[in-house]
Short mmCIF file of all heavy atoms in Angstrom, two decimals:
data_model
loop_
_atom_site.label_atom_id
_atom_site.label_comp_id
_atom_site.label_asym_id
_atom_site.label_seq_id
_atom_site.Cartn_x
_atom_site.Cartn_y
_atom_site.Cartn_z
N THR Q 51 -5.95 5.64 -7.58
CA THR Q 51 -5.17 5.45 -8.80
C THR Q 51 -6.08 4.94 -9.91
O THR Q 51 -6.75 3.91 -9.74
CB THR Q 51 -4.01 4.46 -8.59
OG1 THR Q 51 -3.18 4.93 -7.52
CG2 THR Q 51 -3.18 4.33 -9.86
N ALA Q 52 -6.14 5.65 -11.02
CA ALA Q 52 -6.98 5.25 -12.15
C ALA Q 52 -6.30 4.15 -12.96
O ALA Q 52 -5.11 3.88 -12.80
CB ALA Q 52 -7.26 6.46 -13.04
N ASP Q 53 -7.08 3.54 -13.83
CA ASP Q 53 -6.54 2.45 -14.66
C ASP Q 53 -5.35 2.91 -15.51
O ASP Q 53 -4.47 2.11 -15.83
CB ASP Q 53 -7.64 1.88 -15.56
CG ASP Q 53 -8.72 1.16 -14.77
OD1 ASP Q 53 -8.44 0.76 -13.63
OD2 ASP Q 53 -9.84 1.00 -15.30
N ASP Q 54 -5.36 4.19 -15.90
CA ASP Q 54 -4.27 4.69 -16.74
C ASP Q 54 -3.07 5.18 -15.93
O ASP Q 54 -2.11 5.73 -16.47
CB ASP Q 54 -4.77 5.82 -17.65
CG ASP Q 54 -5.26 7.04 -16.87
OD1 ASP Q 54 -5.18 7.02 -15.62
OD2 ASP Q 54 -5.73 8.00 -17.50
N GLY Q 55 -3.13 4.99 -14.60
CA GLY Q 55 -2.01 5.38 -13.75
C GLY Q 55 -2.15 6.74 -13.11
O GLY Q 55 -1.36 7.10 -12.22
N TYR Q 56 -3.14 7.53 -13.52
CA TYR Q 56 -3.32 8.86 -12.93
C TYR Q 56 -3.71 8.72 -11.46
O TYR Q 56 -4.56 7.90 -11.09
CB TYR Q 56 -4.40 9.63 -13.68
CG TYR Q 56 -4.69 10.98 -13.08
CD1 TYR Q 56 -3.84 12.06 -13.29
CD2 TYR Q 56 -5.82 11.19 -12.28
CE1 TYR Q 56 -4.09 13.30 -12.73
CE2 TYR Q 56 -6.09 12.43 -11.72
CZ TYR Q 56 -5.22 13.48 -11.94
OH TYR Q 56 -5.47 14.70 -11.39
N GLN Q 57 -3.12 9.55 -10.61
CA GLN Q 57 -3.38 9.50 -9.17
C GLN Q 57 -3.91 10.83 -8.66
O GLN Q 57 -3.51 11.90 -9.13
CB GLN Q 57 -2.11 9.12 -8.41
CG GLN Q 57 -1.61 7.71 -8.72
CD GLN Q 57 -0.37 7.36 -7.94
OE1 GLN Q 57 0.51 8.19 -7.72
NE2 GLN Q 57 -0.28 6.10 -7.50
N ALA Q 58 -4.81 10.74 -7.70
CA ALA Q 58 -5.35 11.93 -7.04
C ALA Q 58 -5.35 11.68 -5.54
O ALA Q 58 -5.70 10.57 -5.10
CB ALA Q 58 -6.76 12.23 -7.54
N THR Q 59 -4.98 12.69 -4.79
CA THR Q 59 -4.85 12.57 -3.34
C THR Q 59 -5.63 13.68 -2.64
O THR Q 59 -5.59 14.83 -3.06
CB THR Q 59 -3.37 12.65 -2.92
OG1 THR Q 59 -2.63 11.64 -3.59
CG2 THR Q 59 -3.21 12.48 -1.42
N ARG Q 60 -6.32 13.32 -1.57
CA ARG Q 60 -7.02 14.30 -0.74
C ARG Q 60 -6.82 13.93 0.72
O ARG Q 60 -6.64 12.76 1.06
CB ARG Q 60 -8.52 14.34 -1.05
CG ARG Q 60 -8.86 14.82 -2.45
CD ARG Q 60 -8.55 16.28 -2.65
NE ARG Q 60 -8.95 16.74 -3.99
CZ ARG Q 60 -8.20 16.65 -5.08
NH1 ARG Q 60 -6.99 16.10 -4.99
NH2 ARG Q 60 -8.64 17.09 -6.24
N ALA Q 61 -6.88 14.94 1.60
CA ALA Q 61 -6.76 14.71 3.04
C ALA Q 61 -8.16 14.66 3.66
O ALA Q 61 -9.02 15.49 3.33
CB ALA Q 61 -5.94 15.83 3.68
N TYR Q 62 -8.36 13.71 4.57
CA TYR Q 62 -9.64 13.57 5.26
C TYR Q 62 -9.38 13.36 6.75
O TYR Q 62 -8.53 12.55 7.14
CB TYR Q 62 -10.44 12.39 4.72
CG TYR Q 62 -10.94 12.60 3.31
CD1 TYR Q 62 -10.29 12.00 2.24
CD2 TYR Q 62 -12.03 13.42 3.05
CE1 TYR Q 62 -10.73 12.21 0.94
CE2 TYR Q 62 -12.48 13.64 1.76
CZ TYR Q 62 -11.82 13.03 0.70
OH TYR Q 62 -12.25 13.24 -0.58
N SER Q 63 -10.14 14.08 7.58
CA SER Q 63 -10.03 13.90 9.02
C SER Q 63 -10.52 12.51 9.41
O SER Q 63 -11.45 11.95 8.81
CB SER Q 63 -10.88 14.94 9.75
OG SER Q 63 -10.38 16.24 9.53
N LEU Q 64 -9.91 11.96 10.43
CA LEU Q 64 -10.35 10.68 10.98
C LEU Q 64 -11.59 10.92 11.85
O LEU Q 64 -11.60 11.81 12.70
CB LEU Q 64 -9.23 10.03 11.79
CG LEU Q 64 -8.09 9.49 10.91
CD1 LEU Q 64 -6.80 9.38 11.70
CD2 LEU Q 64 -8.48 8.15 10.31
N ALA Q 65 -12.62 10.13 11.60
CA ALA Q 65 -13.91 10.37 12.23
C ALA Q 65 -14.10 9.63 13.55
O ALA Q 65 -14.95 10.01 14.35
CB ALA Q 65 -15.04 9.97 11.26
N GLY Q 66 -13.32 8.57 13.76
CA GLY Q 66 -13.51 7.76 14.95
C GLY Q 66 -12.55 8.14 16.07
O GLY Q 66 -11.58 8.88 15.88
N ALA Q 67 -12.82 7.59 17.23
CA ALA Q 67 -11.97 7.84 18.40
C ALA Q 67 -10.73 6.97 18.34
O ALA Q 67 -10.68 5.95 17.65
CB ALA Q 67 -12.75 7.52 19.67
N PRO Q 68 -9.67 7.36 19.06
CA PRO Q 68 -8.53 6.47 19.22
C PRO Q 68 -9.00 5.12 19.76
O PRO Q 68 -9.86 5.04 20.64
CB PRO Q 68 -7.66 7.20 20.25
CG PRO Q 68 -8.00 8.65 20.05
CD PRO Q 68 -9.46 8.66 19.72
N GLY Q 69 -8.44 4.05 19.21
CA GLY Q 69 -8.85 2.72 19.61
C GLY Q 69 -9.93 2.13 18.72
O GLY Q 69 -10.17 0.92 18.76
N GLU Q 70 -10.60 2.96 17.92
CA GLU Q 70 -11.59 2.48 16.98
C GLU Q 70 -10.96 2.26 15.61
O GLU Q 70 -9.89 2.79 15.30
CB GLU Q 70 -12.75 3.48 16.85
CG GLU Q 70 -13.55 3.64 18.12
CD GLU Q 70 -14.71 4.61 17.95
OE1 GLU Q 70 -14.58 5.55 17.14
OE2 GLU Q 70 -15.73 4.44 18.63
#
Side-chain angles (χ1 to χ4, degrees):
T51 303
D53 292 339
D54 63 2
Y56 177 77
Q57 295 181 323
T59 303
R60 295 292 183 273
Y62 292 102
S63 295
L64 288 157
E70 295 181 329

